[in-house]
Structures are given as C-alpha cells and as structure tokens.
Amino acid sequence: MITGHSCELWRHLEKEWGEELFVSSGGLLTGPRDGTIVGGTLRAADQHGIEVETLSSAELRMRYPSHAAAPEEHIGVWEPSAGIVRPEASARAAVGLAGRNAGVLTGSQVSRVEVCSDGVELVTGPRTLRVRQAVITVGAWLTTLLPGLPLETVRMPISWFRPSAAGGEAKADFDLDRFPVFMRELDHGPVLWGNGRENGHDVKLGLEYGRGGFRPMDPEDHRPVRRGRGLVGSRTPPVRLRAPAGTHPGAAAVCMYARTPDDQFIIGRPGGDARLVIAGGTGYPTAIAVAAVMTGVALVYLRMPRTYGALTAAQAALVPKSSGGVRTEQPLQDAR
C-alpha cells in the first residue's frame, strides 16, 4: 500500500540526508461512522492490515479534550503509525540528494511543455530543453502546462493559532504529543485538519471541501481573496470556525493544489503517450511513494524504449509494489 511505503521511504531519505523529516505522532480521524474519513479509514485498515483503534464519542472526549466539541454521534479512529512530514526540509533533502547524481536546474521556471516527434521540449525562458521523456509533477500548474487533463486548480485556506500566554500546562496541551495530527469530517462534508505545535511552529488548521466546494482558480492569479472573490462556490454550505479554546490567531495563508474528479491521485501517461509521465492530486505525505511509482513507470520506457504498451510481467517488476491501489489515468496503450 502506498501510504505504508511512504513511511519507509521517508525514513530512508532521513537516513541518507541526516535530518528528521517524518515526525511520528499518531493520527486521529473523527466523524460519522459511515463517513468518508472514518468509514474509509476503517475499510482501508481492514483491507491492508493497518493497526487502528476505534474510539466512542465518550472515549474521544476523555482521551483528547481538544476534540470534546465533536458531536455525540461521531466516533474516532486512532492510527498510531501516522505523523507529519516537514515539507520544506523534505524538499531540500530530495533536491540535495538528487543533485549528487543528476543535474539540478534552479531559477528555471518551465513556461511551456511541447510534445514533439522525438520527445518533449521544456521551455524555460531563455533556453529550451529537449528530452526523450518528461516526468511532470508541478502540482497546481498541471492544468496550465498540460491542458485537457481532468483537473481543477483550487485554493485551500490554512491558519496557525498561538496558545495564550497564561499557564504553561495549557500551552503543553497544544504540543504535538497531546494534540496530534487529525482530520475531522463535519456533518455536511467539509474536513477540518491540522496538528499541534512542533519544531517552533504554532497549531496548524486547514479546511478541505470535497468536489464542488472550493472554486476553481487560475494558478497565475495572485490577487488576494476578497469578498465576492471567495474560495468557495456560492452554493457551498458555510463553515464558521473559531480559534481553539486557549489560543489566538497567529497567521493565515492559502495553498493551491490540483483537484481530481474523485479527489484521489492521478498517475500515469496521459492518453497513453510514452513521452510523458504525470502525477497530480493532494497528499504531500505520500508524495515520496508516488515518486517511486512514477520512477518505475518511467524506467519501463527508458530500459525498453521500443515497448511503450501494456506492461509485461518483466516490465511490471520494475514498478514498486506500492503502486497497488493507485489509480492510473489513461492506462498504457500499445504503440509498437
């Protein structure tokens, strides 16, 4: 399973780079028993043998007072193997290690991707790079560089809250070990997620809507969000959130991501084109395993350049086993 493989790969990257990247805190998922978050987690745990613990609403309130406001009919699922990935540090590690064995170009924004007869051209302002095959992982800009994919660019609000000055014990309640990473599904669909203080960062909260919630945006539109130009559509149920008790607002930001039709990953060769491998969707903690899957798909072409079609048994062995369960948009087509 791709999630479990992600943990292994983060630990390997940590060892190679010499810096902690994945912080194991355990994870708490709450919501209706038959909802997307709790129900989906329980099904995945049963299918893949993941250790979890189910908590009644009373047990949830007793063990995690910060989640005492959860409705009586909601339950909790505790997953001890979950945690958070430090994004900036992990990106530095990945680029730094890549630079030991490959050329890394910085300050070179790709403005256009052109598929040509013998490969792919990457236009980067003053220069154009021509390669046999391109692996495209540009997040929110997939819709711009490769139009026609079933993706929408949306913005997601993120906020940070700082514990109030009074009481050292109260402050400690918001440390990561007492306020671990969580996802809470609200009654009408939105998901509140976040984690406690860690490594100098305040309490972090984010809000995620399913399909049809956040309004599609142009990734190049840098104008601030104002009334009348909100993040959500006019028919989206409003969500009013208060700062966690004992905290006050510290900072706010908006991040962008490419949303797929089913809110899952999109990985593979668009239209079966052997010159391109793409990945999109949300879920940074699993990005390292997605990269492993993409590497395997790309190596099939590089090692066997005349076979662009459906994977043979020998070719499939090149793709990491973690690719099981990952949806591939437009399966490989035979182009021999």
Side-chain angles (χ1 to χ4, degrees):
M1 191 186 67
I2 196 168
T3 302
H5 194 47
S6 296
C7 296
E8 299 173 13
L9 292 174
W10 285 124
R11 292 305 186 200
H12 177 72
L13 187 61
E14 285 179 333
K15 184 177 179 180
E16 292 293 314
W17 186 245
E19 180 181 354
E20 185 180 37
L21 305 174
F22 175 75
V23 182
S24 181
S25 66
L28 181 65
L29 304 109
T30 70
R33 181 180 288 274
D34 59 351
T36 301
I37 298 300
V38 169
T41 298
L42 291 175
R43 288 190 297 271
D46 181 66
Q47 181 179 355
H48 299 286
I50 302 172
E51 178 188 355
V52 298
E53 179 184 1
T54 303
L55 305 172
S56 67
S57 58
E59 291 171 326
L60 178 63
R61 289 193 296 270
M62 181 178 298
R63 190 182 301 186
Y64 300 103
S66 299
H67 295 273
E72 183 68 29
E73 63 274 15
H74 285 194
I75 66 170
V77 176
W78 172 252
E79 184 180 343
S81 61
I84 62 173
V85 176
R86 294 173 176 163
E88 293 84 2
S90 60
R92 287 193 300 268
V95 174
L97 290 175
R100 296 178 183 178
N101 300 291
V104 176
L105 300 179
T106 60
S108 301
Q109 180 179 352
V110 177
S111 59
R112 198 166 69 252
V113 175
E114 298 284 352
V115 177
C116 50
S117 59
D118 58 347
V120 181
E121 289 186 348
L122 305 174
V123 181
T124 64
R127 78 163 96 184
T128 297
L129 305 175
R130 175 168 290 189
V131 296
R132 280 194 296 161
Q133 183 178 205
V135 178
I136 312 294
T137 59
V138 293
W141 283 266
L142 266 176
T143 57
T144 300
L145 293 181
L146 296 173
L149 294 174
L151 298 169
E152 295 177 333
T153 296
V154 296
R155 294 178 178 175
M156 177 193 300
I158 303 175
S159 301
W160 286 264
F161 296 89
R162 188 165 301 148
S164 301
E169 184 66 22
K171 281 188 175 183
D173 286 341
F174 292 101
D175 289 343
L176 185 63
D177 58 345
R178 298 194 192 181
F179 193 57
V181 58
F182 75 92
M183 297 182 72
R184 179 192 294 180
E185 182 175 357
L186 307 180
D187 283 328
H188 51 286
V191 174
L192 179 68
W193 56 268
N195 58 264
R197 299 194 304 168
E198 189 273 331
N199 199 32
H201 296 288
D202 291 330
V203 178
K204 182 179 182 180
L205 296 180
L207 183 64
E208 181 176 333
Y209 276 98
R211 191 73 178 175
F214 289 128
R215 181 179 298 163
M217 312 286 281
D218 181 351
E220 294 298 329
D221 183 357
H222 302 297
R223 293 176 296 170
V225 177
R226 294 191 176 93
R227 186 178 298 274
R229 292 190 61 253
L231 298 176
V232 300
S234 58
R235 297 185 180 181
T236 302
V239 175
R240 293 179 174 85
L241 300 175
R242 295 181 180 178
T247 71
H248 60 271
V254 175
C255 71
M256 294 190 298
Y257 69 97
R259 182 175 60 194
T260 61
D262 57 4
D263 292 317
Q264 301 298 317
F265 298 114
I266 178 170
I267 305 174
R269 300 186 185 277
D273 194 322
R275 295 162 291 188
L276 292 172
V277 182
I278 68 165
T282 183
Y284 186 84
T286 56
I288 194 168
V290 171
V293 174
M294 297 179 72
T295 300
V297 173
L299 286 175
V300 169
Y301 168 70
L302 292 176
R303 296 186 184 186
M304 302 177 182
R306 297 189 178 218
T307 304
Y308 306 152
L311 301 182
T312 64
Q315 293 170 322
L318 299 174
V319 181
K321 293 181 180 179
S322 61
S323 60
V326 178
R327 180 171 62 87
T328 301
E329 183 69 25
Q330 296 291 349
L332 296 174
Q333 300 173 357
D334 196 342
R336 287 176 292 179

